[in-house]
Amino acid sequence: MPNKKINYSIKFNQYQLIEYFHKTPSNEFTKKIIGIENINYTDGGLCYGLTDRFLVNVYKNKEIHFIQEIISILNLVAPSCRFSYPASYQQKKFISYHNAHLNQLFHKIFRAQFNQDISIDIRNAIHQFKYPPINKNEGINNYIDRIIDENIKNLSKSKKILIPYFHEIKILIKKVNRYIKSNISNISTTKNYHDNFSILSEKISSHCFSSKKKYLLVSKIELFFYFIGQYFSHEIIRKTEFNNNLEGVSYDNSPINLYVSMPNNDIVSLDTLKKMIEKYILKNQVFACDLCDKNHAMAITVKPLTNCNKTTFELFDPNKGVFITKNKSDFFELLKKIINKKNSNFLIDKDGVRKIEITRKFIIDKNPKNKII
C-alpha cells in the first residue's frame, strides 16, 4: 500500500448531507425544529456527529448499513434525482417517507456534533476570559456574575448561541458554592469518585477556597473558572452519551480528570494504537474507537471473524468513506498515511511524535454484554 492510492470501499462525503439540509426548501420544517442558528453550526462539518453515529452502529453491527442508507436516501431525495415528469401520489409519498427517515438520521448526527461543538466553544470561551479587578465592597458572587456578563458581551455573533449556557454556568457556580459551604468539615474525606460534581467541588474547595473553606479567593478566580469550564464541557458531551444510552449503548462512567484539556480522553501514538489492535485480535474481541485530530474525527473497527483466522478492518472518514480490508499490513499502512499527512492536525509531542486523540472506544466480547470503555 505505500505507493498505492487509497481506494475506499464505500465512497461518502459529509458535505453532500450538509448541503442537502442547508439548501433544500422541503427541509424548512426540519430547520425550524432544530433552530436555524443551531443548524449553521454544521458549516464546520459533521465529522464528529457522523463518527459518533458510526460507532453506535458498530455496537449494533450495522455501521456499513448506516452509511449505505444515508447514501441511498440522499440519492433518492436530492433535487437532481427528482422525477422530470409529474409525480404520482404514491411516488410523492415514497419520497416523503424517505425524506422523513433522513431527517431522523440527520437529527441524531447533528445532535452529537452540536454537543461536541458547544463543549469545545464553551471551554475555549472561558479560556479567553478577561478578569477585571474586583470593586471595593463587591461581593464575590456579584464579581463572578460580572466576569461572566462582561465576557459574554464580547462573544462574536456566531457564538451568541453560547449565552444560555453561561446562564446555566451561573446556576452551577451557585450550586458548587452551596455544596462546599454545607460540607466544610468533610468534603475532602467523603469524595465519591464516580460523582463528577463531587470531584469538581473537592478540587475547587482544595485549590480555590480559603484554608477554612469559608470563601472563594479572588487570586484563584482564573483557576476556579478553569475547573468550571472543564466540568461543564464534559457534562455537555454526556448529553450525547445519555442519548446513546437510550439505544442500548452502555458507557463506563470513569471519573473526570479536570487537569487535562479533554477530560477522559486517551492521547496515543500510532505504535500504541497498533498494540491495542493486536491485543484485541489475540483476544478475539471486536475493537472500535474514534481517531481525532484538532479539527477532524474518524473511526476504526477491528472485527475478528468467527470460525476463521481472519480479521476485518474498517476505517471511516466522513470526507472519504469507508475503507475495508482483511489485510492488517494494508490497514496499518493506511493509518500511518493518514496520521503522517502534511496537512493533518494531529497533536505532536515534544519528541515530534504525532498523537491521536481517542474520545471513546469499546470492545465487544462474544458472550459478555457489549461495553464501551
Side-chain angles (χ1 to χ4, degrees):
M1 167 159 289
N3 299 317
K4 292 181 186 176
K5 181 182 177 182
I6 301 172
N7 291 315
Y8 286 84
S9 310
I10 302 170
K11 305 290 194 299
F12 181 85
N13 188 326
Q14 62 170 316
Y15 290 100
Q16 290 177 291
L17 183 63
I18 294 169
E19 184 179 23
Y20 176 71
F21 274 87
H22 272 285
K23 295 185 177 180
T24 307
S26 63
N27 279 298
E28 289 306 315
F29 179 67
T30 296
K31 291 181 182 181
K32 288 177 182 177
I33 292 173
I34 300 174
I36 189 63
E37 288 183 314
N38 293 3
I39 206 169
N40 286 337
Y41 255 62
T42 61
D43 288 344
L46 285 170
C47 62
Y48 186 88
L50 282 161
T51 297
D52 176 79
R53 296 310 303 171
F54 184 87
L55 288 172
V56 168
N57 279 279
V58 170
Y59 202 84
K60 303 173 184 178
N61 199 27
K62 291 183 177 180
E63 72 279 8
I64 301 303
H65 172 76
F66 165 69
I67 297 299
Q68 289 176 329
E69 186 175 34
I70 293 176
I71 295 169
S72 175
I73 299 176
L74 269 177
N75 288 336
L76 182 66
V77 302
S80 60
C81 301
R82 296 291 175 85
F83 306 106
S84 57
Y85 50 87
S88 68
Y89 171 76
Q90 289 299 328
Q91 289 169 332
K92 289 180 179 178
K93 190 174 180 181
F94 181 74
I95 292 291
S96 178
Y97 168 81
H98 283 89
N99 190 65
H101 186 52
L102 185 62
N103 287 349
Q104 290 178 330
L105 293 174
F106 181 81
H107 285 168
K108 291 179 179 180
I109 294 164
F110 175 82
R111 187 167 53 191
Q113 182 69 45
F114 182 72
N115 288 341
Q116 175 73 3
D117 290 343
I118 290 292
S119 173
I120 292 171
D121 286 345
I122 286 285
R123 196 172 61 252
N124 288 343
I126 290 177
H127 179 70
Q128 295 170 13
F129 265 18
K130 305 295 182 186
Y131 297 93
I134 190 168
N135 294 328
K136 187 177 180 181
N137 299 325
E138 184 177 28
I140 191 67
N141 293 331
N142 290 336
Y143 179 50
I144 289 171
D145 285 347
R146 182 162 65 88
I147 289 171
I148 294 174
D149 292 340
E150 288 187 10
N151 278 282
I152 62 177
K153 283 179 184 176
N154 298 323
L155 289 171
S156 64
K157 185 177 179 181
S158 64
K159 303 301 180 187
K160 293 296 183 184
I161 195 171
L162 300 178
I163 291 175
Y165 293 93
F166 279 104
H167 293 317
E168 290 184 35
I169 286 174
K170 286 183 179 182
I171 295 170
L172 169 64
I173 289 171
K174 288 179 174 61
K175 184 179 175 184
V176 168
N177 286 335
R178 283 197 303 269
Y179 181 84
I180 292 173
K181 290 177 180 179
S182 65
N183 292 274
I184 290 174
S185 60
N186 61 4
I187 193 167
S188 297
T189 58
T190 60
K191 292 178 287 188
N192 178 355
Y193 283 105
H194 289 281
D195 176 356
N196 289 333
F197 180 77
S198 294
I199 294 172
L200 169 69
S201 300
E202 192 277 329
K203 290 297 181 190
I204 288 176
S205 173
S206 299
H207 298 282
C208 305
F209 267 62
S210 66
S211 57
K212 294 184 179 180
K213 308 291 187 291
K214 289 185 177 181
Y215 56 89
L216 176 65
L217 297 168
V218 174
S219 61
K220 300 293 184 180
I221 197 70
E222 192 167 349
L223 180 61
F224 170 79
F225 271 104
Y226 170 79
F227 285 142
I228 290 290
Q230 291 293 90
Y231 171 85
F232 193 83
S233 295
H234 182 260
E235 291 303 295
I236 294 291
I237 293 298
R238 286 186 66 182
K239 291 182 180 180
T240 299
E241 295 179 1
F242 175 78
N243 291 329
N244 293 345
N245 287 157
L246 300 178
E247 297 183 57
V249 180
S250 56
Y251 292 84
D252 175 42
N253 293 318
S254 54
I256 190 172
N257 181 351
L258 293 169
Y259 288 106
V260 296
S261 60
M262 285 296 288
N264 298 342
N265 291 2
D266 291 332
I267 308 293
V268 301
S269 66
L270 176 57
D271 287 342
T272 300
L273 177 62
K274 287 161 68 174
K275 288 176 184 176
M276 290 166 62
I277 290 170
E278 296 277 16
K279 179 177 74 172
Y280 293 118
I281 291 174
L282 288 173
K283 290 184 175 182
N284 202 32
Q285 295 171 319
V286 174
F287 170 72
C289 69
D290 59 3
L291 307 178
C292 303
D293 66 14
K294 294 177 183 177
N295 53 23
H296 190 51
M298 298 169 283
I300 62 168
T301 70
V302 178
K303 295 182 173 182
L305 301 178
T306 307
N307 300 325
C308 69
N309 293 321
K310 291 187 177 180
T311 301
T312 298
F313 302 88
E314 299 170 352
L315 178 136
F316 170 57
D317 182 339
N319 293 335
K320 304 286 185 180
V322 185
F323 176 90
I324 306 172
T325 183
K326 290 183 175 64
N327 187 315
K328 183 175 69 177
S329 296
D330 280 357
F331 184 69
F332 283 168
E333 190 62 36
L334 170 67
L335 293 178
K336 182 179 177 181
K337 272 188 172 183
I338 289 171
I339 292 164
N340 291 327
K341 273 196 310 186
K342 287 183 179 179
N343 61 346
S344 68
N345 283 298
F346 288 96
L347 301 169
I348 300 176
D349 68 13
K350 61 181 180 180
D351 298 317
V353 177
R354 296 198 175 198
K355 294 296 184 75
I356 305 153
E357 188 172 22
I358 299 175
T359 70
R360 59 189 56 168
K361 63 182 185 291
F362 66 87
I363 58 172
I364 303 176
D365 287 324
K366 283 186 177 180
N367 296 317
K369 185 180 178 181
N370 302 356
K371 186 179 182 182
I372 287 188
I373 60 174

